[in-house]
């Protein structure tokens, strides 16, 4: 955050919005104005001083220095030519104070010191693997740890040999698509469902068969009527609606797979964060006929930047993976990260981290829900609050999705569209918004929702 602030002020100086000799606001006033800590402002100011953009005058404050613009490095070649505002810039728009982005994770509780220590251990010269490409399927030791963890936590039955590690679900699903292409050329997906995955399948030549959702997940009758013999599904926390598929329906789905000699792709992306009720065993654990491909990720419960996900292949697909030469594809996750994660899991840090994060996220989610209920009451419907790192809000104020997003942005809050999750856009809910809360502090969640309330129910007042 300090870096964003530094960049923002730096840009204003370079573009001439902040002219020479302008006095910057005091640390105290800027931190309270932006609702950020004084340390953050102080760090940004220090960097500006270090790089010669501002100078400190004792007992007076910080002042912008006269710049020789033609000596400045790119990307600001001309003071008078404003840069085009790219999407990226909008995403980090300093006007946005509260970004309810789904996908961000908590940055306060990650055990960085432990991670660094374990990572250092991996760079000792006795690790001969350091000097080679490593196992193309993923490090065996890590796969053993993943298999143990999944057996204990989700009942997943597999050997390390069935696990393929890869840099994210998109990569793994591309690989899987290649393996499945002889089985069928269409894939059934929940409607609405995860748009990113839909794209990946489509890029790999599959047609998508959207299957409507019921209260308890995918409509099995519609699945039977579709021509697909492959289904991608998020049974433990439907994305984006959040319902959990009950055991009876899981059994029906497994029967469908047995009837069609089909494939179920079970994406268990955030089952660690279940706040209400007992977890239901994974589909893979109930499947006695080996029709299920199980997918998991470390993006939610550890770090998305690690880019570590895994896929568990049933024997038939594993055989194809080996026979068709996919082991020639080198591993996409660095050996360092894999090895560090292996040690992290083996030494018990992983279990401890999940327990801690479940509490952290449950607390954040409760604060979010409480604030929404307190301020917005019946004027919104909250959807999907039993698990995960996001909720959906159906807003009953007459605004449609686009207007809700714009009004929020005018009040410094970024919220996200849900309509892209529908394959059939015309059927998307008109006034629904996605709110991710993993990456925000509790304080920001509360103040962010206050701003959102003003944005949606008193939109003429744009004071944050
Ligand atoms: C439904 C779903 N599956 C899987 C993932 C994880 O993807 P990755 O492992 O590529 O980070 C996400 C991430 O947002 C998700 O929403």
């Amino acid at each position: 955050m300090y870096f964003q602030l530094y960049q923002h002020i730096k840009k204003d100086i370079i573009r001439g919005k902040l002219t020479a000799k302008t006095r910057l606001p005091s640390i105290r006033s800027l931190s309270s104005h932006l609702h950020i800590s004084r340390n953050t402002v102080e760090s940004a100011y220090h960097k500006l001083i270090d790089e010669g953009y501002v100078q400190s005058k004792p007992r007076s404050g910080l002042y912008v220095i006269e710049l020789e613009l033609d000596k400045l490095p790119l990307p600001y070649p001309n003071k008078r030519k404003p840069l085009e505002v790219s999407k990226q810039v909008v995403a980090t728009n300093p006007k946005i104070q509260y970004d309810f982005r789904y996908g961000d994770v908590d940055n306060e509780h990650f055990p960085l010191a432990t991670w660094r220590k374990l990572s250092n251990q991996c760079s000792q010269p006795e690790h001969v693997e350091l000097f080679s490409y490593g196992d193309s399927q993923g490090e065996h030791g890590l796969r053993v740890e993943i298999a143990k963890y999944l057996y204990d936590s989700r009942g997943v039955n597999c050997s390390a040999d069935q696990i393929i590690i890869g840099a994210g679900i998109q990569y793994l699903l591309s690989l899987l698509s290649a393996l499945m292409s002889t089985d069928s050329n269409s894939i059934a997906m929940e409607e609405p469902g995860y748009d990113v995955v839909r794209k990946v399948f489509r890029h790999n030549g599959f047609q998508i068969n959207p299957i409507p959702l019921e209260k308890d997940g995918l409509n099995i009758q519609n699945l039977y009527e579709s021509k697909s013999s492959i289904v991608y599904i998020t049974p433990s926390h439907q994305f984006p609606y959040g319902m959990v598929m009950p055991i009876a329906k899981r059994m029906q789905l497994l029967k469908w797979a047995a009837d069609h000699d089909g494939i179920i792709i079970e994406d268990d992306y955030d089952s660690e964060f279940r706040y209400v009720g007992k977890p239901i065993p994974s589909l893979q654990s109930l499947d006695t006929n080996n029709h299920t491909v199980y997918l998991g990720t470390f993006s939610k419960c550890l770090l998305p930047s690690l880019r570590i996900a895994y896929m568990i292949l049933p024997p038939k697909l594993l055989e194809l993976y080996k026979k068709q030469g996919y082991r020639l594809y080198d591993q996409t996750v660095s050996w360092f990260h894999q090895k560090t994660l292996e040690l992290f899991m083996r030494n018990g840090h992983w279990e401890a981290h999940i327990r801690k994060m479940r509490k952290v996220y449950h607390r954040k989610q409760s604060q979010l829900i409480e604030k929404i209920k307190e301020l917005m009451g019946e004027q919104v419907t909250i959807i999907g609050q039993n698990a995960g790192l996001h909720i959906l809000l159906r807003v009953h104020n007459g605004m449609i999705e686009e207007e809700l997003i714009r009004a929020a942005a005018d009040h410094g809050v970024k919220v996200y569209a849900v309509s892209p999750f529908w394959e059939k856009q015309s059927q998307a809910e008109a006034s629904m918004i996605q709110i991710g809360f993993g990456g925000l502090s509790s304080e920001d969640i509360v103040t962010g929702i206050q701003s959102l309330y003003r944005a949606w129910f008193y939109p003429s007042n744009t004071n944050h």
Side-chain angles (χ1 to χ4, degrees):
M1 195 180 280
Y2 95 85
F3 195 76
Q4 272 185 29
L5 180 63
Y6 145 80
Q7 278 187 314
H8 177 64
I9 300 174
K10 185 171 104 175
K11 261 190 218 167
D12 280 357
I13 295 174
I14 292 169
R15 290 181 184 163
K17 262 171 90 180
L18 281 172
T19 52
K21 301 198 178 85
T22 305
R23 185 173 174 274
L24 296 190
S26 71
I27 293 176
R28 195 163 50 92
S29 68
L30 192 57
S31 72
S32 82
H33 178 68
L34 294 179
H35 301 287
I36 56 178
S37 80
R38 289 186 193 182
N39 280 348
T40 307
V41 179
E42 204 174 342
S43 304
Y45 278 6
H46 272 302
K47 196 160 169 57
L48 290 165
I49 297 172
D50 289 348
E51 294 184 6
Y53 289 97
V54 298
Q55 75 182 142
S56 163
K57 293 194 181 164
R59 282 183 299 283
S60 173
L62 288 187
Y63 290 85
V64 176
I65 284 176
E66 182 109 49
L67 295 177
E68 291 178 70
L69 284 166
D70 50 353
K71 290 197 186 146
L72 283 174
L74 293 170
Y76 309 117
N78 185 334
K79 183 184 168 188
R80 275 164 298 276
K81 243 195 205 164
L83 287 178
E84 256 185 40
V85 181
S86 69
K87 273 203 175 133
Q88 189 59 32
V89 175
V90 173
T92 55
N93 183 348
K95 230 181 87 187
I96 296 295
Q97 294 173 38
Y98 309 102
D99 189 345
F100 285 93
R101 190 207 318 260
Y102 165 69
D104 287 355
V105 299
D106 180 274
N107 62 7
E108 260 178 59
H109 297 87
F110 182 78
L112 256 186
T114 307
W115 189 265
R116 209 176 297 125
K117 199 176 94 202
L118 297 174
S119 180
N120 276 342
Q121 278 178 28
C122 298
S123 43
Q124 302 305 318
E126 66 266 20
H127 287 299
V128 287
E129 302 95 324
L130 257 178
F131 307 99
S132 65
Y133 275 71
D135 189 327
S136 62
Q137 214 175 306
E139 287 311 303
H140 186 261
L142 175 58
R143 288 189 277 125
V144 169
E145 291 305 321
I146 292 174
K148 267 197 250 167
Y149 162 67
L150 291 177
Y151 180 72
D152 293 341
S153 64
R154 308 290 298 124
V156 169
N157 266 309
C158 73
S159 66
D161 189 41
Q162 287 171 265
I163 301 181
I164 304 194
I165 290 171
I169 190 179
Q170 294 150 31
Y171 168 74
L172 289 170
L173 285 179
S174 291
L175 187 63
L176 181 63
S177 295
L179 298 176
M180 297 185 309
S181 55
T182 48
D183 284 284
S184 171
N185 65 353
S186 80
I187 293 189
M189 278 189 68
E190 295 151 317
E191 173 80 336
Y194 193 26
D195 55 337
V196 174
V197 160
R198 203 159 54 217
K199 268 266 150 46
V200 173
F201 287 138
R202 203 162 261 149
H203 287 160
N204 283 281
F206 286 96
Q207 279 172 8
I208 305 297
N209 264 332
I211 308 290
L213 289 177
E214 300 173 310
K215 267 206 180 95
D216 58 357
L218 194 87
N219 180 318
I220 303 281
Q221 185 56 37
N222 288 172
L223 181 62
Y224 268 98
E225 284 157 18
S226 82
K227 296 212 166 55
S228 305
S229 59
I230 305 173
V231 63
Y232 163 90
I233 186 158
T234 48
S236 296
H237 185 222
Q238 201 278 331
F239 188 89
Y241 266 74
M243 68 271 281
V244 181
M245 185 180 276
I247 192 107
K249 198 162 216 178
R250 288 179 193 231
M251 299 314 286
Q252 289 170 15
L253 190 60
L254 287 168
K255 182 169 180 321
W256 167 85
D259 290 348
H260 287 74
D261 193 19
I263 298 173
I264 300 172
I265 306 165
E266 175 180 24
D267 183 357
D268 211 7
Y269 63 108
D270 70 354
S271 57
E272 286 82 9
F273 303 124
R274 181 159 175 73
Y275 312 124
V276 180
K278 277 199 185 138
I280 293 177
S282 64
L283 271 167
Q284 201 273 5
S285 71
L286 302 168
D287 181 2
T288 47
N289 294 313
N290 293 318
H291 290 289
T292 310
V293 176
Y294 180 91
L295 283 163
T297 179
F298 287 95
S299 293
K300 305 287 158 208
C301 44
L302 203 59
L303 285 181
S305 58
L306 274 181
R307 307 310 304 128
I308 308 187
Y310 49 87
M311 168 167 80
I312 299 174
L313 293 179
K316 189 175 139 198
L317 289 173
L318 183 66
E319 202 184 314
L320 277 184
Y321 170 79
K322 290 180 179 171
K323 263 199 191 148
Q324 295 184 353
Y326 286 100
R327 292 199 75 159
L328 284 176
Y329 286 20
D330 283 314
Q331 177 50 233
T332 50
V333 181
S334 103
W335 178 85
F336 264 110
H337 290 337
Q338 289 186 69
K339 194 69 191 169
T340 308
L341 180 55
E342 178 190 327
L343 296 180
F344 191 78
M345 293 180 90
R346 194 177 330 131
N347 298 348
H349 303 297
W350 168 242
E351 290 286 346
H353 185 62
I354 292 174
R355 271 201 304 277
K356 180 172 69 185
M357 294 319 294
R358 198 176 287 132
K359 276 194 201 142
V360 167
Y361 288 133
H362 192 189
R363 192 174 58 237
K364 283 189 185 188
Q365 202 231 36
S366 306
Q367 283 160 334
L368 172 77
I369 306 262
E370 250 170 55
K371 204 70 204 168
I372 292 173
K373 282 188 174 160
E374 177 197 321
L375 294 176
M376 306 185 198
E378 307 274 284
Q379 302 176 95
V380 294
T381 309
I382 303 170
I383 294 156
Q385 53 179 304
N386 290 345
L389 304 179
H390 77 275
I391 54 163
L392 302 183
L393 277 187
R394 196 178 283 130
V395 188
H396 314 293
N397 66 350
M399 290 181 182
I400 56 168
E401 180 183 85
E402 211 183 310
E403 294 165 330
L404 291 165
I405 292 172
R406 201 173 329 118
D410 287 346
H411 282 70
V413 186
K414 197 159 166 66
V415 291
Y416 290 82
V418 186
S419 57
F421 301 134
W422 267 266
E423 162 76 353
K424 294 183 180 161
Q425 284 288 307
S426 58
Q427 292 179 6
E429 290 217 33
S431 304
M432 190 179 269
I433 288 299
Q434 187 187 35
I435 298 215
F437 57 85
L440 287 170
S441 68
S442 299
E443 298 74 40
D444 282 352
I445 287 175
V446 169
T447 36
I449 293 300
Q450 283 165 345
S451 298
L452 207 50
Y453 171 60
R454 285 193 289 273
W456 287 345
F457 298 101
Y458 299 95
S460 55
N461 175 5
T462 49
N463 288 335
H464 298 175

